[in-house]
Amino acid sequence: MHGPVMDDEGADEERRLHYERWQWGGRLPSESLRAVRHSNVLGLLPFDSDLVHALDAAGADVQRSVARLAARRACETAGLTTVPWVARALTALMDGRPLPPPFDDTARMWETLRSTALAPGPTVRAATPPERPPYFPPTPVGWGWIPTSEPGDDGARHYELGRLPESPAPAGSDAKLSATHAADLGPVPAFVTPTELTHPARTPLDRGLISQPHFALPAVPAAAEPSPLKAALDAVSHAVAAYGEHYPELLEEIWQLCADRSDGKPDPAIQRP
């Protein structure tokens, strides 16, 4: 006799957790990461989900150091460290003091930037995260998403839920999942839906050239956030945007800082995979 069918509420929760695990790089977020969902964490995840989890595990001191480093590097790459009012803010940030004006008022901060004469910077394209596999809904044991054909002229890929070759098909069952044969599978999770899906062709993103100062400046107030974790996530996110196409250089340095601040003790939670 088969087990009970999952109710709608349980199915929705299973589906949510399955997608959330994919969204967060193969593992569910901690409660502390859930608490900062209002930060830029969801924007940083596509660039390096492992770093997001590592920053969460690193502790407040490392998080604050990362936030300050990210703010400084963002301003350096944007040519802002020689601007007096930005330099004063960075000094206050490193000393743990409140940020001076105009950083005490967001509108005033942007107005000050607009009225500041800046030397022309390098030509930099916007940051584009690495491509990742598309999301597939969960499947029952022994089943998987099977391509139904080669990509068409539009590049779209079509899949259907089918029994995997190494999984013996039950007697009297088609190789495809259908309502009439659901009993052959045992307790089929109710969250397995749909049985067919299409992933459109991916169009390479070209976000064009960026104004680095405008992407870099928000990293300074972000790094001063009261929450060390939110400060780190937001400052790194703004710094990634400021680095544009060169963002891997920044992330490499952030990873190195995390390793250095672990006092040489191996900590699997903050080691780069």
Side-chain angles (χ1 to χ4, degrees), residues 161-189:
L161 193 60
R163 187 172 287 281
L164 298 175
E166 63 271 16
S167 176
S173 172
D174 187 288
K176 299 179 184 178
L177 180 63
S178 68
T180 57
H181 294 128
D184 296 326
L185 295 174
V188 179

Side-chain angles (χ1 to χ4, degrees), residues 65-84:
S65 295
V66 165
R68 291 168 177 167
L69 175 66
R72 176 166 288 281
R73 291 292 183 263
C75 292
E76 286 175 350
T77 196
L80 292 176
T81 52
T82 57
V83 176

Side-chain angles (χ1 to χ4, degrees), residues 125-147:
R125 306 198 78 80
T128 301
E131 193 170 295
R132 62 178 302 191
Y135 174 70
F136 289 93
T139 63
V141 175
W143 293 73
W145 291 103
I146 311 299

Side-chain angles (χ1 to χ4, degrees), residues 13-32:
E13 179 66 6
E14 286 288 342
R15 188 161 41 239
R16 184 189 68 78
L17 291 175
H18 189 273
Y19 178 79
E20 190 177 45
R21 186 176 287 106
W22 172 84
Q23 181 185 38
W24 288 79
R27 47 185 151 165
L28 292 174
S30 67
E31 288 306 312
S32 55

Side-chain angles (χ1 to χ4, degrees), residues 68-238:
R68 291 168 177 167
L69 175 66
R72 176 166 288 281
R73 291 292 183 263
C75 292
E76 286 175 350
T77 196
L80 292 176
T81 52
T82 57
V83 176
W85 57 274
V86 177
R88 287 193 295 270
L90 288 173
T91 298
L93 181 66
M94 300 307 160
D95 292 343
R97 294 183 283 108
L99 298 182
F103 289 92
D104 55 344
D105 181 275
T106 302
R108 185 179 173 192
M109 178 187 78
W110 289 118
E111 180 57 37
T112 304
L113 180 63
R114 280 192 292 271
S115 62
T116 299
L118 300 174
T123 299
V124 177
R125 306 198 78 80
T128 301
E131 193 170 295
R132 62 178 302 191
Y135 174 70
F136 289 93
T139 63
V141 175
W143 293 73
W145 291 103
I146 311 299
T148 58
S149 63
E150 292 297 318
D153 293 339
D154 60 356
R157 294 180 178 270
H158 305 278
Y159 300 84
E160 65 183 16
L161 193 60
R163 187 172 287 281
L164 298 175
E166 63 271 16
S167 176
S173 172
D174 187 288
K176 299 179 184 178
L177 180 63
S178 68
T180 57
H181 294 128
D184 296 326
L185 295 174
V188 179
F191 56 81
V192 179
T193 179
T195 58
E196 296 183 350
L197 57 84
T198 297
H199 284 303
R202 295 186 178 184
T203 303
L205 292 176
D206 185 356
R207 300 177 180 176
L209 304 179
I210 63 171
S211 169
Q212 286 185 293
H214 288 83
F215 283 96
L217 197 61
V220 179
E225 279 281 339
S227 163
L229 177 57
K230 186 176 186 297
L233 294 170
D234 283 357
V236 171
S237 178
H238 288 301

